[in-house]
Amino acid sequence: MHPLLILILTFVLLEFAVSSVLSWLNSKWMTHPVPEVLKGLYDEEKYRKQQEYMRTNKRVGWIERLVTLAITLVVLIPGVLGWLDNLCAEWSHSLLLQLLIFFGIYVVASAIISLPFSYYDTFVIEERFGFNKTTKTTFWLDTLKSLLLTLVLGAMLLSVIYLLYSYLGQSFWIWATLVCAIFILFFSLFYSNLIVPLFNKQKPLEKGELREAIEKAAGEMGFSIKKIYVIDGSKHSTKANAYFTGFGKKKRVVLFDTLIEQLSTEEIVAVLAHELGHNKHRDTIKNTVMSIVMVAVNLFVFSLLVDNPELSHALGGKRDHSFALSLIAFSLLFTPIDLILDPIINGVSRRGEYGADAFAAKHGHGEALISGLKKLSANTLSNLTPHPAVVWMSYSHPTLAQRITALLNV
Ligand SMILES: [Zn+2]
């Protein structure tokens, strides 16, 4: 076996081990006593339901991880990707077309593998616990649309990156970063106009008590927001949410219809105050800059490895240079770096969440935010006692208990 393939397999197994240990730790922690600030959030029957929901998700999570691992090993060890790469080379003389065919097959195959899990999650688990609102038609249409979107956007981006590489050689990463940065900025600006309408309907929040309350509270916090939209989250799930998107003139607040249904006016205003806190602290801009820096680091490291024939050989490629195989080998070799970066990125994100909560509390919305978060948490049967290591590694938000404790101490 190629030594580099052994290294790649070690990383694949390492990632599997880390995620399995985290899942195991979390299930060990399930029986931990509920934190004092959350007492009474669930009654006994609802808590039983919550525990059952967690156990079901854990079991399915295990099966999914095992199946994914098995498929990864079956694909990597005999060199299936190398075989596919050779096949693409026979089908077309254009190197760019070979690359696009390879990734087209790769993306479609990955989508087919994950399909049974998302189907089971939506129509068995979420259905059983009363969360699912997605019809079969919506599910299939959404799956098809997101697959097409991935294929079209992926092909565009990949073509540009490949052409830059073929003209500039190793220094392509600088221009490729610039292209990716434009791509990221474009989609942060136009996400609401271009992507959201493919999956949801959104309309401006109607005049009335809620709109007036939001505009008044925003004014008191020094904001003037006119673009407040309601999105039909209820088309997919009963789970509620709200978010802030875009920069400058494109800035808009989006409330799920389910959020409006489940929370009182004061609580919605408090959730909005939290979102305005993010805006005040420029969290959206910071996140965008962080993603661009990450892309730059990735592309730079990739540029150092791309011409090394061993990357292709490790995956069973016959040719010395296959951009597709190099890219996949690189992404697998990058796994341990991701394992290090995840807790850092999530740590930064959690700090931003505390900051946004504190902003809401300082403007007098602390109490309403606590009751709003409690309702949302109870309605989604969220885990009240996640293991600290899981929080550290993978939580983009602090736990409910941590947020309430911090809010009480602002
Ligand atoms: Zn937030």
Side-chain angles (χ1 to χ4, degrees):
M1 207 186 276
H2 196 288
L4 202 56
L5 179 59
I6 298 179
L7 190 66
I8 288 174
L9 292 176
T10 313
F11 290 167
V12 167
L13 290 170
L14 176 75
E15 197 201 20
F16 176 79
V18 170
S19 57
S20 301
V21 167
L22 288 175
S23 162
W24 176 76
L25 285 174
N26 230 5
S27 63
K28 284 274 143 206
W29 223 250
M30 265 174 68
T31 48
H32 246 238
V34 173
E36 204 54 46
V37 286
L38 299 182
K39 290 263 158 73
L41 186 66
Y42 296 123
D43 59 33
E44 217 168 286
E45 197 197 319
K46 198 151 186 207
Y47 199 55
R48 248 200 313 277
K49 194 175 164 195
Q50 190 272 337
Q51 300 271 296
E52 185 52 34
Y53 183 52
M54 266 202 71
R55 264 194 294 274
T56 313
N57 275 321
K58 189 196 77 188
R59 265 198 305 268
V60 177
W62 266 102
I63 298 170
E64 184 168 6
R65 272 201 309 283
L66 278 169
V67 170
T68 310
L69 177 69
I71 293 175
T72 310
L73 296 182
V74 165
V75 166
L76 289 182
I77 294 173
V80 172
L81 294 174
W83 168 81
L84 178 63
D85 186 58
N86 296 334
L87 216 59
C88 293
E90 279 171 27
W91 285 334
S92 168
H93 289 298
S94 150
L95 290 174
L96 176 62
L97 215 55
Q98 291 170 15
L99 175 70
L100 294 179
I101 296 171
F102 183 97
F103 272 99
I105 295 173
Y106 188 85
V107 167
V108 172
S110 308
I112 292 172
I113 292 166
S114 65
L115 188 60
F117 293 102
S118 63
Y119 186 93
Y120 189 85
D121 181 57
T122 309
F123 295 111
V124 180
I125 304 179
E126 297 291 290
E127 183 76 42
R128 195 171 116 209
F129 289 91
F131 295 132
N132 182 41
K133 290 272 183 181
T134 313
T135 63
K136 297 260 161 84
T137 317
T138 305
F139 177 84
W140 290 113
L141 278 176
D142 282 358
T143 308
L144 199 66
K145 279 186 261 185
S146 46
L147 180 62
L148 287 175
L149 200 62
T150 314
L151 286 171
V152 171
L153 296 181
M156 275 163 52
L157 202 56
L158 201 59
S159 305
V160 176
I161 293 177
Y162 179 73
L163 290 173
L164 286 170
Y165 164 73
S166 60
Y167 286 113
L168 301 170
Q170 234 184 32
S171 67
F172 81 99
W173 74 272
I174 302 169
W175 290 98
T177 301
L178 193 70
V179 170
C180 291
I182 293 170
F183 199 78
I184 291 172
L185 286 173
F186 179 80
F187 278 102
S188 346
L189 284 176
F190 293 100
Y191 173 74
S192 296
N193 306 83
L194 297 176
I195 309 291
V196 176
L198 295 174
F199 301 95
N200 282 95
K201 284 198 183 70
Q202 44 187 356
K203 52 178 200 296
L205 176 62
E206 283 164 24
K207 281 205 180 82
E209 185 216 3
L210 180 59
R211 187 163 187 122
E212 274 165 31
I214 288 176
E215 284 179 356
K216 182 166 163 278
E220 284 165 5
M221 288 181 269
F223 287 91
S224 147
I225 32 169
K226 291 281 165 261
K227 288 185 176 156
I228 312 168
Y229 284 81
V230 182
I231 194 170
D232 60 343
S234 59
K235 181 183 167 191
H236 294 107
S237 166
T238 61
K239 291 178 176 173
N241 205 352
Y243 62 89
F244 212 103
T245 164
F247 301 101
K249 285 213 171 90
K250 283 282 172 191
K251 218 178 281 173
R252 65 163 83 184
V253 172
V254 181
L255 305 171
F256 278 45
D257 55 355
T258 41
L259 187 89
I260 297 174
E261 218 169 83
Q262 291 167 25
L263 300 193
S264 71
T265 302
E266 287 92 58
E267 288 163 345
I268 297 171
V269 168
V271 169
L272 184 94
H274 167 97
E275 296 301 332
L276 291 178
H278 279 308
N279 192 57
K280 184 82 190 170
H281 302 148
R282 302 188 183 283
D283 287 337
T284 322
I285 297 173
K286 283 181 202 159
N287 287 342
T288 310
V289 171
M290 203 155 74
S291 352
I292 294 172
V293 171
M294 288 287 301
V295 168
V297 172
N298 267 279
L299 283 168
F300 172 69
V301 181
F302 178 53
S303 77
L304 300 177
L305 299 171
V306 62
D307 287 330
N308 190 328
E310 294 312 320
L311 256 60
S312 302
H313 294 165
L315 298 185
K318 295 249 180 341
R319 299 185 283 175
D320 276 351
H321 290 288
S322 159
F323 195 79
L325 291 181
S326 296
L327 195 56
I328 291 184
F330 161 75
S331 71
L332 291 166
L333 288 168
F334 211 75
T335 317
I337 302 174
D338 278 335
L339 287 177
I340 297 167
L341 287 177
D342 280 351
I344 299 173
I345 292 167
N346 284 318
V348 172
S349 166
R350 288 196 300 273
R351 248 188 52 191
E353 294 304 326
Y354 280 126
D357 279 353
F359 178 86
K362 272 186 203 133
H363 287 89
H365 301 289
E367 229 169 274
L369 187 56
I370 291 178
S371 70
L373 288 174
K374 277 183 165 175
K375 267 192 209 169
L376 291 177
S377 192
N379 289 348
T380 50
L381 295 178
S382 80
N383 180 10
L384 302 186
T385 56
H387 192 280
V390 177
V391 176
W392 182 77
M393 187 81 187
S394 59
Y395 268 48
S396 63
H397 287 60
T399 67
L400 182 59
Q402 287 172 327
R403 289 180 79 172
I404 293 178
T405 311
L407 276 166
L408 290 172
N409 289 309
V410 168

